């Protein structure tokens, strides 16, 4: 699409001497950006049709020379960048100002690649989600880092709410990931300040976590499923997670025979938890295996496996699972499959709740709380960094407990 370069007088900004500033307007892809060229003249000295200072002004030659110089500079830059996808009117104006601003999407790709290379695969994918939303919201890939301001963020938030149908918590998480991107851009001296510092994020909404009762867990255990079928395996994984303090599905997939320690007195599971956040250190979990968990392990002949063999046949071992991005893709695929299986299993057990792999963790926490396990012990079992995190985690179950206790109180 053609780019236009025009000069005009901003008469609404006339000073006490009756002079108005001359602005250059660059329009590209129907989007315009303006910039004062540092010259002001009276309206009678400006030729609107020719976009030049009239001869009536004493310095008309010098002023018109500056206008020609800026026109040529802008035009040359457009010709130089005509094959680039990321060029914008704002970009050209920034060139005229004396600096070339960084394109948001170019930097976003660099930042996402940087995250992936450092092993933060999940965060890289999550950041890519918000970057893609911004592209759809903005309409093209010409956005500059320094164009993102409070007004832009307000529009983006409204877009995510109305068009993407995102809940407040999802919007908040997306903007928090965007905040990390801008913090890195700030460290890279590409922006002076982080625009999200002055933007009010949506308040975190209280989420009601789904948790199964022990009876529902037992109903799943009692299902007559065909041995070695996909549903049979998925049930084993879900129950093993429940009986091991809600081990996360990514950690469960990576368990190997070397993670099982057998002594005369007991069998223990010891594994290094995957980092869920880039700023936290990995934690070791050491859990005594209950009879229910041991029974599941025996279904997979765990004692006959080599140390490097996986305990459960979940991951595709033909792939290079040492590559974080390869592992993450396989994990996401297998998790989605397991969640579909759990939906079928829930139906067979007459469970109305939406059951996913993560519900095993919720169910363990809620059951432990109901049985009177201390907050400290639950926190340690879930491997939370502090008790406050555990309190917040259990908070969504409190209403259910209050409802039950109120019924018992008056009945």
């Amino acid at each position: 699409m053609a780019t236009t370069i025009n000069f005009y007088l901003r008469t609404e900004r006339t000073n006490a001497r009756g002079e108005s500033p001359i602005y250059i307007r660059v329009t590209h892809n129907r989007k315009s950006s303006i910039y004062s060229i540092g010259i002001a003249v009276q309206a009678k000295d400006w030729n609107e049709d020719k976009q030049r200072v009239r001869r009536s002004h004493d310095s008309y030659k010098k002023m018109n020379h500056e206008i020609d110089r800026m026109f040529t500079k802008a035009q040359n830059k457009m010709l130089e960048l005509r094959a680039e996808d990321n060029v914008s009117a704002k970009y050209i104006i920034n060139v005229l100002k004396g600096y070339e601003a960084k394109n948001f999407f170019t930097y976003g790709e660099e930042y996402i690649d940087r995250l992936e290379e450092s092993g933060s695969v999940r965060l890289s994918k999550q950041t890519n989600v918000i970057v893609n939303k911004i592209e759809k919201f903005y309409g093209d890939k010409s956005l500059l880092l320094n164009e993102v301001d409070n007004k832009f963020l307000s529009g983006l938030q409204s877009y995510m709410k109305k068009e993407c149908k995102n809940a407040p918590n999802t919007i908040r998480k997306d903007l928090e990931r965007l905040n990390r991107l801008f913090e890195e851009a700030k460290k890279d001296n590409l922006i002076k300040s982080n625009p999200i510092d002055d933007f009010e994020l949506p308040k975190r909404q209280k989420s009601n976590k789904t948790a199964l009762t022990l009876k529902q867990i037992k109903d799943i255990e009692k299902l007559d499923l065909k041995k070695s079928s996909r549903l049979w395996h998925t049930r084993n994984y879900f129950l093993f997670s429940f009986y091991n303090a809600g081990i996360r599905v990514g950690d469960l997939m990576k368990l190997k025979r070397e993670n099982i320690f057998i002594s005369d007195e007991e069998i223990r599971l010891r594994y290094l938890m995957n980092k869920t956040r880039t700023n936290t250190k990995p934690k070791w979990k050491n859990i005594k295996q209950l009879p229910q968990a041991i029974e599941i392990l025996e279904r997979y002949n765990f004692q006959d496996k080599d140390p490097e063999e996986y305990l459960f046949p979940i991951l595709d071992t033909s792939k290079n699972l040492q590559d974080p991005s390869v592992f993450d893709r396989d994990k996401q695929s297998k998790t989605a499959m397991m969640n579909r299986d759990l939906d079928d299993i829930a139906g067979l057990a007459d469970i109305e709740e939406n059951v996913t792999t993560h519900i095993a963790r919720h169910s363990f926490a809620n059951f432990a709380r109901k049985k009177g396990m201390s907050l400290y012990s639950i926190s340690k079992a879930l491997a939370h960094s502090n008790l406050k995190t555990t309190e917040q985690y259990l908070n969504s179950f409190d209403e259910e407990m209050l409802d039950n206790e109120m019924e018992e109180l008056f009945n």
Side-chain angles (χ1 to χ4, degrees), residues 28 76-87:
H28 182 72
N76 288 342
K77 197 62 184 180
M78 285 304 307
L79 290 172
E80 179 186 331
L81 299 172
R82 63 185 180 276
E84 298 287 337
D85 293 329
N86 297 331
V87 67

Side-chain angles (χ1 to χ4, degrees), residues 45 58 106 125 137 143 195 220 230 262 267 298 333 374 376:
D45 294 321
D58 293 339
T106 301
K125 287 182 176 294
F137 165 66
L143 180 68
I220 290 176
R230 213 171 77 180
I262 304 173
I267 297 176
E298 287 176 342
S333 172
S374 70
Y376 174 80

